[in-house]
Amino acid sequence: MKVFPETSRIPIYTYLGIPYAKPPINELRFAPPVPSPGWNRTLYARDFKPICPQIENSSYEDLGSENQFRSRETSEDCLYLNIWIPETAIRYGGFPVLVMITGEEMGFDWNANRASGLDLAADGIIVVTVQYRTNVFGWLSLGQKYAPGNLGLLDQQLALIWIKDNIQKFGGDTNRLTLLGHGTTGGPNVMTHMVSPRARGLFARAIIMSGTIFSPYSEINADSKLSQEIVRILACNYDIGRNVLKCLQQKSIHDLLRAYEYIYRNGNYTANLGPIIDSYQPPEKRYIIDDPRSLFQAKALVMEDMPILFGITSNEGGFLYSKWIELARQSIDSLKKYINDTLLPNIIERYDFQGIGQDQIRETINWRYFDQIPQTTAHHIHAIIKIISETRYEIPFYRTLKALSSRNKSTTSESTTNVEGVLTNADDNAEKRTNVSKLYVYLFHHPNSMDMRGKINFFGGASHSSDLPFLMGPSLYREIGRRRLSMVEDKLCKKIRSLFTEFIKGGNPTPGRQFDSWKPYSDELKHIKLISTKPDSFQRNDHSSMENTFEDNLQEIEEKLIGSIDVQETSTNVNTSKNPYNLNPNIQADQENARTSKNAVFLASARDSEYFYYLRKMDSFWGQFLPKLSQIMNETNQEKLRNRRIDLTLEEEQDLFRETAAASKYKHAFFSMLTLVCMLLAVLCMCVYILKKNTNTKLSSIL
């Protein structure tokens, strides 16, 4: 289908719904994907195909005008590609290729507002989006050849193979293929592909957005316990794996999703279905040979010359869950109960704070985030957003930077010995490479941004998924927000698209620039580029501005989100926070920042970013202070128990001594009494003898 975008002077060819695998239904359910046999007749690739089944009424679906979830079509027949190609690519060929993998929490993908490559294709890039299996359909594993698991990764790998084999026919360059992963599924999956021997050579660059394998909520499953729990719920727990698989294949989609929903627990899970270390597979079929975190830290199987673009948004937790709003509308006590009974125990468990010190950890977290704020529902939601941003995104982001930027070191760790011999040829080739991979790190910031659901974030900063509409361009933004970009938003959209397209084309987001070049992140220069309407010299990354934005929008939050204030009047001033289309444009400040000299920009990019120090401060609390506090409390408790045991031992010895002393007294008294009784008996016997003798004497005299 030929499309003429408003932002482009060249037409874009779109191919929607190209099958890369056979439909995973019937006997192919829970089986590795089988390549599509192709088609003999004309394939009409004009419409999106349904995505794979997922739980309905989730926070990742869009809401109607009355806050009602809109039902969207899903199907198990979902393994398709969508391709956008500029007309010039078909004419001349050799165009760079971007392959996108999106998804959230290993269980969802954007169903209503799908990522569209229409505008990126107009910038000279071939864009491909991949549909793959997720949740129970993509990650259930029996730990054997029947339902082996990692099906979502295998779907993505087969899609990459299809693209590698066929993209030249669309004008693409197979040597300039970039793999982009967005979200808490896409980001970790791309990082897993980066250290998988079966994905080696399928892509040359990687972009990781708002997700990382180092998040405690995206960890690789070490075993199949969760899958076995689902099997038990579905009453398929047979002894023979073939029978279990046959039973699962006969279950309905609804039954499978309900069983998965029990594990997911409405997003409050402490462990979730996901990729698994498939050590039970033969070596040639294994996709994850070890924990990817260990492989990244040991620099094992990682392509040293692969450019990486990695970043997050400034307020990831601003992606509001519908449950928070429901509890806030009930009462502040309901919100506090959720915090104390669900949120904090979940965080404490995921960060592995064990032992008696959990109570002290809970008190410390409460003191830091909830005890010193105004006791209103809006401020408590704001605190929840802050703690979610830190624990699920910012701390994992900082730890990923440490793993990716650390220099190659000789190590004898277990992870490297485990992978020894698996990729001998690949490791030999890696030794020949002399280039060092460049890591480009960014922070995306835009106040009152709009996420993929079309919801405005009034809590300051850019919320999770708000960077994707700006990256994909005006077409997707207009589809989600039902409006055009403002001047400030259009400037930001062009800025982020320019940086990303240059990286996709050549591996450097600012080629040929000197004063405002994007410096790679390293141990020597911890440069994190701020992608915002403000210039690069703005070093605070607007964290104080995030707080100010929340205070400015406090009335807006109370009225529109929580509904505690019923105010019907509207404002005609476009610069007030009541206008969701142009909130706080700050045009005057933007004009002043535009006059910033190039020398100031150059000096700013030549020193460590202040956002790095902000991240390090957060990590010092979550990664150093709290674990140390937990250790001290546990050791103190153990010492108390030890002292108590010693005290108990001393008391027992004293009791035993008293009992022994008392026993000796009783023994002495007993023998004394026994002696006295014996003496009395002797006296008695003597008296009887004397009396008897006198009686005999008297009888003798009478006779």
Side-chain angles (χ1 to χ4, degrees), residues 553 556 570-580 582-585:
N553 294 337
E556 197 84 9
T570 59
S571 175
T572 58
N573 185 1
V574 296
N575 290 328
T576 63
S577 61
K578 289 184 179 296
N579 182 5
N582 194 16
L583 287 169
N584 297 330

Side-chain angles (χ1 to χ4, degrees), residues 330-378:
Q330 293 175 10
S331 67
I332 189 173
D333 293 333
S334 299
L335 201 58
K336 288 182 177 180
K337 180 176 176 60
Y338 165 77
I339 292 171
N340 294 319
D341 295 348
T342 302
L343 179 63
L344 295 186
N346 180 276
I347 294 174
I348 289 173
E349 183 171 353
R350 293 311 297 163
Y351 274 78
D352 200 24
F353 296 128
Q354 303 293 336
I356 198 67
Q358 289 185 358
D359 294 336
Q360 187 67 29
I361 296 295
R362 186 196 301 264
E363 292 179 6
T364 305
I365 296 175
N366 261 316
W367 174 84
R368 180 181 175 91
Y369 294 95
F370 301 103
D371 291 347
Q372 304 184 64
I373 62 175
Q375 297 302 302
T376 66
T377 53

Side-chain angles (χ1 to χ4, degrees), residues 218-237:
S218 301
E219 292 178 349
I220 298 294
N221 294 157
D223 51 48
S224 59
K225 289 183 179 179
L226 291 178
S227 297
Q228 296 297 338
E229 180 69 13
I230 292 178
V231 170
R232 185 190 64 80
I233 294 173
L234 295 170
C236 292
N237 46 336

Side-chain angles (χ1 to χ4, degrees), residues 35-75:
S36 173
W39 52 90
N40 295 323
R41 299 181 180 180
T42 302
L43 177 67
Y44 293 96
R46 297 176 178 176
D47 300 305
F48 283 111
K49 298 294 184 179
I51 67 170
C52 298
Q54 61 186 29
I55 299 176
E56 296 180 353
N57 301 344
S58 71
S59 294
Y60 296 99
E61 295 185 359
D62 65 327
L63 296 172
S65 57
E66 299 179 355
N67 290 332
Q68 297 295 325
F69 289 99
R70 296 173 178 172
S71 179
R72 302 289 177 176
E73 182 183 2
T74 61
S75 173

Side-chain angles (χ1 to χ4, degrees), residues 584-637:
N584 297 330
N586 201 9
I587 298 177
Q588 182 178 358
D590 184 68
Q591 292 174 349
E592 293 177 358
N593 291 328
R595 292 193 290 269
T596 305
S597 64
K598 291 183 177 181
N599 291 332
V601 174
F602 174 76
L603 292 175
S605 63
R607 62 172 181 257
D608 292 348
S609 300
E610 289 192 13
Y611 185 64
F612 164 78
Y613 295 107
Y614 165 79
L615 292 173
R616 189 169 66 177
K617 183 179 69 173
M618 293 299 101
D619 185 68
S620 65
F621 176 76
W622 288 98
Q624 300 178 27
F625 174 72
L626 289 184
K628 188 65 176 178
L629 177 62
S630 177
Q631 179 183 357
I632 291 174
M633 294 302 299
N634 290 333
E635 291 177 353
T636 304
N637 182 67

Side-chain angles (χ1 to χ4, degrees), residues 12-13 15 82-90 93-100 117 120-129 163 166-174 176-178 504-505:
I12 305 299
Y13 288 90
Y15 301 91
N82 307 298
I83 307 177
W84 292 264
I85 305 169
E87 186 181 44
T88 50
I90 299 177
F95 274 53
V97 182
L98 173 67
V99 181
M100 295 186 60
L120 276 180
D123 292 335
I125 297 174
I126 296 176
V127 182
V128 185
T129 60
I163 295 168
N166 297 280
I167 203 62
Q168 286 183 334
K169 302 173 184 177
F170 297 90
D173 184 356
T174 57
R176 290 198 293 167
L177 195 151
T178 302
I504 295 168
K505 291 178 181 179

